[in-house]
Coordinates of all heavy atoms in Angstrom, one line a residue:
P44 N -103.5 28.1 -74.3 CA -103.5 29.6 -74.0 C -104.8 29.9 -73.4 O -105.8 29.2 -73.7 CB -103.3 30.2 -75.4 CG -103.8 29.2 -76.4 CD -103.5 27.9 -75.8
D45 N -104.9 31.0 -72.6 CA -106.1 31.5 -72.1 C -106.0 33.0 -72.0 O -104.9 33.6 -72.0 CB -106.4 30.9 -70.7 CG -107.9 30.7 -70.4 OD1 -108.7 31.4 -71.1 OD2 -108.2 30.0 -69.5
I46 N -107.2 33.6 -72.0 CA -107.2 35.1 -72.0 C -108.2 35.5 -70.9 O -109.3 35.0 -70.7 CB -107.7 35.7 -73.3 CG1 -106.7 35.3 -74.4 CG2 -107.9 37.2 -73.2 CD1 -107.1 35.7 -75.8
F47 N -107.8 36.5 -70.1 CA -108.6 37.1 -69.0 C -108.7 38.6 -69.1 O -107.7 39.3 -69.4 CB -107.9 36.8 -67.7 CG -107.8 35.3 -67.3 CD1 -106.7 34.6 -67.7 CD2 -108.8 34.6 -66.7 CE1 -106.6 33.3 -67.4 CE2 -108.7 33.3 -66.4 CZ -107.6 32.6 -66.8
P48 N -109.9 39.1 -69.0 CA -110.0 40.6 -68.9 C -109.4 41.1 -67.6 O -109.5 40.4 -66.6 CB -111.5 40.9 -69.0 CG -112.1 39.6 -68.4 CD -111.2 38.5 -68.8
I49 N -108.7 42.2 -67.6 CA -108.1 42.8 -66.4 C -108.3 44.3 -66.4 O -108.4 44.9 -67.5 CB -106.6 42.5 -66.2 CG1 -105.8 43.0 -67.4 CG2 -106.4 41.0 -66.0 CD1 -104.3 43.0 -67.2
N50 N -108.4 44.8 -65.2 CA -108.2 46.3 -65.0 C -106.8 46.5 -64.7 O -106.2 45.8 -63.8 CB -109.1 46.8 -63.9 CG -110.6 46.4 -64.1 OD1 -111.0 45.4 -63.7 ND2 -111.3 47.4 -64.7
Y51 N -106.2 47.5 -65.3 CA -104.8 47.7 -65.0 C -104.5 49.2 -64.8 O -105.3 50.1 -65.2 CB -103.9 47.2 -66.1 CG -104.1 48.0 -67.4 CD1 -103.3 49.1 -67.7 CD2 -104.9 47.5 -68.4 CE1 -103.5 49.8 -68.8 CE2 -105.1 48.3 -69.6 CZ -104.4 49.4 -69.8 OH -104.6 50.1 -70.9
K52 N -103.3 49.5 -64.3 CA -102.8 50.9 -64.3 C -101.4 50.9 -64.8 O -100.6 49.9 -64.6 CB -102.8 51.5 -62.9 CG -104.1 51.7 -62.3 CD -104.7 53.0 -62.8 CE -105.9 53.4 -62.0 NZ -106.4 54.7 -62.2
V53 N -101.0 51.9 -65.5 CA -99.6 52.1 -65.9 C -98.8 52.7 -64.7 O -99.3 53.6 -64.1 CB -99.5 53.1 -67.1 CG1 -98.1 53.4 -67.4 CG2 -100.2 52.5 -68.3
D54 N -97.7 52.1 -64.4 CA -96.9 52.6 -63.3 C -95.4 52.5 -63.7 O -94.8 51.4 -63.8 CB -97.1 51.7 -62.1 CG -96.4 52.2 -60.9 OD1 -96.3 53.4 -60.7 OD2 -95.9 51.3 -60.1
R55 N -94.8 53.6 -64.0 CA -93.4 53.7 -64.3 C -92.9 52.7 -65.3 O -92.0 52.0 -65.1 CB -92.6 53.6 -63.0 CG -92.8 54.8 -62.0 CD -92.2 54.5 -60.7 NE -93.0 53.5 -60.0 CZ -92.8 52.9 -58.9 NH1 -91.7 53.3 -58.2 NH2 -93.6 52.0 -58.4
G56 N -93.5 52.7 -66.5 CA -93.1 51.8 -67.5 C -93.5 50.4 -67.4 O -92.9 49.5 -68.0
T57 N -94.4 50.1 -66.5 CA -94.9 48.7 -66.3 C -96.4 48.8 -66.2 O -97.0 49.9 -66.1 CB -94.4 48.1 -64.9 OG1 -95.0 48.8 -63.8 CG2 -92.9 48.1 -64.9
L58 N -97.1 47.7 -66.2 CA -98.5 47.6 -66.0 C -98.8 46.8 -64.7 O -98.1 45.8 -64.4 CB -99.2 46.9 -67.1 CG -99.2 47.6 -68.5 CD1 -99.9 46.7 -69.5 CD2 -99.8 48.9 -68.4
V59 N -99.7 47.2 -63.9 CA -100.1 46.6 -62.6 C -101.5 46.2 -62.7 O -102.4 47.1 -63.1 CB -99.7 47.5 -61.4 CG1 -100.1 46.8 -60.1 CG2 -98.3 47.8 -61.4
F60 N -101.9 45.0 -62.2 CA -103.3 44.7 -62.0 C -103.4 43.9 -60.7 O -102.5 43.4 -60.1 CB -103.8 43.8 -63.2 CG -103.2 42.4 -63.4 CD1 -103.9 41.4 -62.8 CD2 -102.1 42.2 -64.1 CE1 -103.4 40.1 -63.0 CE2 -101.5 40.9 -64.2 CZ -102.2 39.9 -63.7
R61 N -104.7 43.9 -60.3 CA -105.0 43.2 -59.0 C -105.8 41.9 -59.4 O -106.6 41.9 -60.3 CB -105.9 44.0 -58.1 CG -105.2 45.1 -57.4 CD -106.2 46.0 -56.7 NE -106.8 45.3 -55.6 CZ -107.7 45.8 -54.7 NH1 -108.0 47.1 -54.9 NH2 -108.2 45.2 -53.8
T62 N -105.7 40.9 -58.6 CA -106.4 39.7 -58.8 C -106.5 38.9 -57.5 O -105.8 39.1 -56.6 CB -105.8 38.8 -60.0 OG1 -106.7 37.7 -60.3 CG2 -104.5 38.2 -59.6
G63 N -107.4 37.9 -57.5 CA -107.5 37.0 -56.4 C -106.7 35.7 -56.7 O -106.1 35.6 -57.7
D64 N -106.8 34.8 -55.8 CA -106.2 33.5 -56.0 C -106.9 32.8 -57.2 O -108.1 33.0 -57.4 CB -106.3 32.6 -54.7 CG -105.4 33.0 -53.6 OD1 -104.3 33.5 -53.9 OD2 -105.9 32.9 -52.4
G65 N -106.2 32.0 -57.9 CA -106.8 31.2 -59.0 C -105.9 31.1 -60.2 O -104.7 31.3 -60.2
T66 N -106.6 30.6 -61.3 CA -105.9 30.3 -62.5 C -105.1 31.4 -63.1 O -104.0 31.3 -63.5 CB -106.9 29.7 -63.5 OG1 -107.5 28.6 -63.0 CG2 -106.2 29.3 -64.8
K67 N -105.8 32.6 -63.1 CA -105.1 33.8 -63.7 C -103.8 34.1 -63.0 O -102.8 34.3 -63.6 CB -106.1 35.0 -63.7 CG -105.5 36.2 -64.2 CD -106.4 37.5 -64.1 CE -107.7 37.3 -63.5 NZ -108.4 38.6 -63.4
L68 N -103.9 34.2 -61.7 CA -102.7 34.5 -60.9 C -101.6 33.4 -61.1 O -100.4 33.8 -61.4 CB -103.0 34.6 -59.4 CG -101.9 34.8 -58.5 CD1 -101.2 36.2 -58.7 CD2 -102.3 34.8 -57.0
R69 N -101.9 32.2 -61.0 CA -100.9 31.1 -61.1 C -100.3 31.1 -62.5 O -99.1 31.0 -62.6 CB -101.6 29.7 -60.9 CG -101.8 29.4 -59.4 CD -102.2 28.0 -59.2 NE -103.3 27.5 -60.0 CZ -104.6 27.7 -59.7 NH1 -104.9 28.3 -58.6 NH2 -105.6 27.3 -60.5
A70 N -101.1 31.3 -63.5 CA -100.5 31.3 -64.9 C -99.7 32.6 -65.1 O -98.6 32.5 -65.8 CB -101.6 31.2 -65.9
A71 N -100.1 33.7 -64.6 CA -99.4 35.0 -64.9 C -98.1 35.0 -64.3 O -97.1 35.5 -64.9 CB -100.3 36.2 -64.4
V72 N -97.9 34.5 -63.0 CA -96.7 34.7 -62.3 C -95.8 33.4 -62.5 O -94.8 33.3 -61.8 CB -96.8 35.0 -60.9 CG1 -97.5 36.4 -60.7 CG2 -97.6 33.9 -60.1
G73 N -96.1 32.5 -63.4 CA -95.3 31.3 -63.7 C -94.1 31.7 -64.5 O -93.8 32.9 -64.7
E74 N -93.4 30.7 -65.1 CA -92.2 31.0 -65.8 C -92.5 31.5 -67.2 O -91.6 32.1 -67.8 CB -91.4 29.7 -65.9 CG -90.8 29.2 -64.6 CD -89.9 30.3 -64.0 OE1 -89.1 30.8 -64.7 OE2 -90.1 30.6 -62.8
T75 N -93.6 31.3 -67.8 CA -94.0 31.6 -69.1 C -94.3 33.1 -69.2 O -95.1 33.6 -68.4 CB -95.1 30.8 -69.7 OG1 -94.9 29.4 -69.5 CG2 -95.4 31.1 -71.1
P76 N -93.7 33.8 -70.2 CA -94.1 35.2 -70.4 C -95.6 35.4 -70.7 O -96.3 34.5 -71.1 CB -93.2 35.7 -71.6 CG -92.2 34.7 -71.7 CD -92.7 33.4 -71.2
V77 N -96.1 36.6 -70.5 CA -97.5 36.9 -70.7 C -97.6 38.0 -71.8 O -96.6 38.7 -72.1 CB -98.1 37.4 -69.4 CG1 -98.1 36.3 -68.3 CG2 -97.6 38.7 -68.9
A78 N -98.8 38.3 -72.2 CA -99.0 39.4 -73.1 C -100.3 40.1 -72.6 O -101.2 39.5 -72.1 CB -99.2 38.9 -74.5
I79 N -100.3 41.4 -72.8 CA -101.5 42.2 -72.6 C -101.9 43.0 -73.8 O -101.0 43.5 -74.5 CB -101.3 43.2 -71.4 CG1 -101.3 42.4 -70.1 CG2 -102.5 44.2 -71.4 CD1 -101.2 43.3 -68.9
E80 N -103.1 43.0 -74.2 CA -103.6 43.7 -75.3 C -104.7 44.7 -74.8 O -105.5 44.3 -74.0 CB -104.2 42.8 -76.4 CG -104.5 43.5 -77.7 CD -105.9 44.0 -77.8 OE1 -106.8 43.6 -77.0 OE2 -106.1 44.9 -78.7
A81 N -104.6 45.9 -75.3 CA -105.6 46.9 -75.0 C -105.8 47.7 -76.3 O -104.9 47.9 -77.1 CB -105.1 47.9 -73.8
D82 N -107.1 48.2 -76.4 CA -107.4 49.0 -77.6 C -108.4 50.0 -77.3 O -109.0 50.1 -76.3 CB -107.7 48.1 -78.8 CG -108.8 47.1 -78.4 OD1 -109.7 47.4 -77.6 OD2 -108.7 45.9 -78.8
G83 N -108.7 50.9 -78.3 CA -109.7 51.9 -78.2 C -110.0 52.4 -79.6 O -109.3 52.2 -80.6
V84 N -111.1 53.2 -79.6 CA -111.5 53.8 -80.9 C -112.2 55.1 -80.6 O -112.9 55.3 -79.6 CB -112.5 52.9 -81.7 CG1 -113.8 52.6 -81.0 CG2 -112.7 53.4 -83.1
D85 N -111.9 56.1 -81.4 CA -112.6 57.4 -81.3 C -113.8 57.4 -82.2 O -113.7 57.3 -83.4 CB -111.6 58.5 -81.8 CG -112.2 59.9 -81.7 OD1 -113.5 60.0 -81.7 OD2 -111.4 60.9 -81.6
P86 N -115.0 57.4 -81.6 CA -116.2 57.2 -82.4 C -116.5 58.4 -83.3 O -117.1 58.3 -84.3 CB -117.3 57.1 -81.4 CG -116.8 57.7 -80.1 CD -115.3 57.5 -80.2
Q87 N -115.9 59.5 -83.0 CA -116.0 60.7 -83.9 C -115.2 60.6 -85.2 O -115.7 61.0 -86.2 CB -115.6 62.0 -83.1 CG -116.4 62.3 -81.8 CD -117.9 62.4 -82.1 OE1 -118.3 63.0 -83.1 NE2 -118.7 61.8 -81.2
T88 N -114.0 60.1 -85.1 CA -113.1 60.1 -86.2 C -113.0 58.7 -86.8 O -112.6 58.6 -88.0 CB -111.7 60.5 -85.8 OG1 -111.1 59.5 -84.9 CG2 -111.6 61.9 -85.2
G89 N -113.4 57.6 -86.1 CA -113.3 56.3 -86.6 C -111.8 55.8 -86.6 O -111.5 54.8 -87.2
I90 N -111.0 56.5 -85.8 CA -109.6 56.1 -85.7 C -109.5 55.1 -84.5 O -109.9 55.5 -83.4 CB -108.6 57.3 -85.6 CG1 -108.8 58.2 -86.7 CG2 -107.2 56.8 -85.4 CD1 -108.3 57.7 -88.1
A91 N -108.9 54.0 -84.7 CA -108.7 53.0 -83.7 C -107.3 52.7 -83.4 O -106.4 53.1 -84.2 CB -109.4 51.6 -84.1
W92 N -107.0 52.2 -82.2 CA -105.6 51.8 -81.9 C -105.6 50.5 -81.2 O -106.6 50.1 -80.6 CB -104.9 52.9 -81.1 CG -105.6 53.3 -79.8 CD1 -106.6 54.2 -79.7 CD2 -105.5 52.7 -78.6 NE1 -107.0 54.3 -78.4 CE2 -106.3 53.3 -77.7 CE3 -104.7 51.6 -78.1 CZ2 -106.5 53.0 -76.3 CZ3 -104.8 51.3 -76.7 CH2 -105.7 52.0 -75.9
S93 N -104.5 49.8 -81.2 CA -104.3 48.5 -80.5 C -102.8 48.5 -80.0 O -101.9 48.7 -80.8 CB -104.6 47.4 -81.4 OG -104.5 46.2 -80.8
I94 N -102.7 48.1 -78.8 CA -101.3 48.0 -78.2 C -101.2 46.6 -77.6 O -102.1 46.1 -77.0 CB -101.2 49.0 -77.0 CG1 -101.6 50.4 -77.3 CG2 -99.8 49.0 -76.4 CD1 -100.8 51.1 -78.4
V95 N -100.0 46.1 -77.8 CA -99.6 44.8 -77.2 C -98.4 44.9 -76.4 O -97.4 45.5 -76.9 CB -99.5 43.7 -78.3 CG1 -99.0 42.4 -77.7 CG2 -100.8 43.4 -79.1

Side-chain angles (χ1 to χ4, degrees):
D45 211 341
I46 298 175
F47 296 91
I49 61 166
N50 301 88
Y51 69 84
K52 290 282 190 169
V53 172
D54 184 39
R55 297 170 286 176
T57 67
L58 294 179
V59 177
F60 69 94
R61 285 175 65 177
T62 190
D64 290 325
T66 303
K67 179 183 1 176
L68 177 64
R69 284 190 306 276
V72 299
E74 291 301 314
T75 306
V77 301
I79 289 187
E80 189 270 342
D82 49 38
V84 64
D85 181 334
Q87 302 299 319
T88 64
I90 303 295
W92 56 268
S93 182
I94 311 292
V95 174

